[in-house]
Amino acid sequence: MAITVEFFVAPDDVSAAVMRPRYRDHGRPAVMFEGFFPDEAVLEWESLFTGEPINRITQREPRMVVPMANDGFEVFEMGPPLRTLLAGAGALRLGEIADRWAALESRADDEVSSEAAAGILEAVGALAREAVRAGRGLYCWYFAP
């Protein structure tokens, strides 16, 4: 199954809700990936940053903007705590989190190499900095047919 993922900066939920896989020339700061479930990844990232158990994080994260339906499409907003952590993390911290996340993913049979994880977290961290700087939200859509 090919999972397509796009993290992007948007001013609000209404703007984020119209994002779709076919709407790639939207002009917003964005990064695209494949091969992992981002709604699970953001929970793991926050847990790795904070040490808080995932089951407590799931009570507040991620906030759905377009809940998944039978079409395999979803849009969510990454909450301010994780957005701030990613925006403030340096390359060394992001690399540490990436290594730990890759180890989690390999145990879950949804493999993301340490190198790929580092690239993902660096790119999403840069988007988080842009979102914080602009006073906007950091959103994600993904399609898992």
Side-chain angles (χ1 to χ4, degrees), residues 84-103:
T84 301
L85 287 166
L86 284 165
L92 191 59
R93 180 72 169 140
L94 288 173
E96 173 192 313
I97 297 297
D99 286 343
R100 292 171 57 204
W101 178 50

Side-chain angles (χ1 to χ4, degrees), residues 12-66:
D12 54 42
D13 288 358
V14 173
S15 299
V18 300
M19 303 298 281
R20 295 282 187 258
R22 292 186 193 137
Y23 186 47
R24 293 194 179 156
D25 295 328
H26 48 70
R28 300 186 192 287
V31 291
M32 196 163 242
F33 305 102
E34 291 187 348
F36 67 96
F37 288 98
D39 53 347
E40 294 173 7
V42 297
L43 297 173
E44 293 167 346
W45 297 345
E46 188 165 338
S47 179
L48 291 168
F49 268 109
T50 66
E52 188 175 357
I54 288 176
N55 63 350
R56 282 203 301 210
I57 297 168
T58 59
Q59 295 171 14
R60 64 181 184 275
E61 295 289 340
R63 189 177 64 75
M64 294 300 144
V65 174
V66 177

Side-chain angles (χ1 to χ4, degrees), residues 8 12-21 39 62-77 139-143:
F8 61 96
D12 54 42
D13 288 358
V14 173
S15 299
V18 300
M19 303 298 281
R20 295 282 187 258
D39 53 347
R63 189 177 64 75
M64 294 300 144
V65 174
V66 177
M68 183 163 294
N70 291 336
D71 62 358
F73 178 79
E74 172 178 297
V75 178
F76 64 86
E77 181 184 22
Y139 293 86
C140 179
W141 65 255
Y142 80 97
F143 180 61

